[in-house]
Amino acid sequence: MADVSHRGDMTSHPDVSEMRERYARMLGGRDVALVDGPVFLLGLYCAVSPWILHYTTSQPALAAHNLIMGIAIGLLALGFTTAPARMYGLSWAMCAMGVWMIIAPWIVGSGPDTGVIVNNVVIGALAVILGMMCAGTAAKSAPMP
């Protein structure tokens, strides 16, 4: 195996400026990295909340709805993590999903109780807030023409 411990400082490399620019482009827009995790956890909680709050039998349509919406929010979070430059435009879609989560108990559900309503309103409000944070960061990191 080759001994690579003798290598010098990277600043003497002939392509150091190009490598720095490429690294900066690669990390561009990664200010939202702190939001990716909470968005994924929110999606995960949304997906399992019918079983945590035990309303799968009383609100089967809403239980299926929350499962699907939770998976969708989780997939958005994974997209924000793996392809940030392409996915940050969908931050507004997450805001729309949050608004839908707030009103869904009355549209999808049938006579939801207070716990179900509060659960969906909190999930929806957090989705709107996190979506706006992602959208704000995407707008701030977008290159100026």
Side-chain angles (χ1 to χ4, degrees):
M1 181 175 224
D3 180 23
V4 294
S5 62
H6 66 278
R7 298 209 177 201
D9 189 14
M10 194 63 187
T11 57
S12 62
H13 193 281
D15 295 328
V16 72
S17 61
E18 180 182 339
M19 288 188 294
R20 284 185 179 149
E21 289 173 16
R22 184 174 182 206
Y23 184 72
R25 276 194 320 268
M26 183 182 74
L27 288 181
R30 290 307 303 150
D31 297 338
V32 135
L34 296 175
V35 179
D36 296 350
V39 170
F40 182 76
L41 291 175
L42 180 69
L44 181 65
Y45 173 75
C46 180
V48 299
S49 66
W51 290 272
I52 292 174
L53 298 177
H54 305 291
Y55 64 88
T56 54
T57 55
S58 64
Q59 299 285 333
L62 196 57
H65 169 269
N66 279 18
L67 176 65
I68 293 167
M69 292 296 289
I71 291 170
I73 292 171
L75 288 174
L76 275 176
L78 289 175
F80 292 154
T81 302
T82 58
R86 294 183 185 137
M87 293 294 292
Y88 285 153
L90 291 177
S91 302
W92 293 110
M94 195 167 78
C95 293
M97 290 169 70
V99 170
W100 173 250
M101 286 297 296
I102 292 171
I103 62 173
W106 295 280
I107 296 173
V108 178
S110 56
D113 64 357
T114 306
V116 173
I117 293 170
V118 168
N119 179 61
N120 273 34
V121 167
V122 169
I123 291 171
L126 287 172
V128 169
I129 290 168
L130 291 171
M132 290 177 78
M133 288 174 65
C134 288
T137 303
K140 181 178 71 171
S141 65
M144 296 301 246

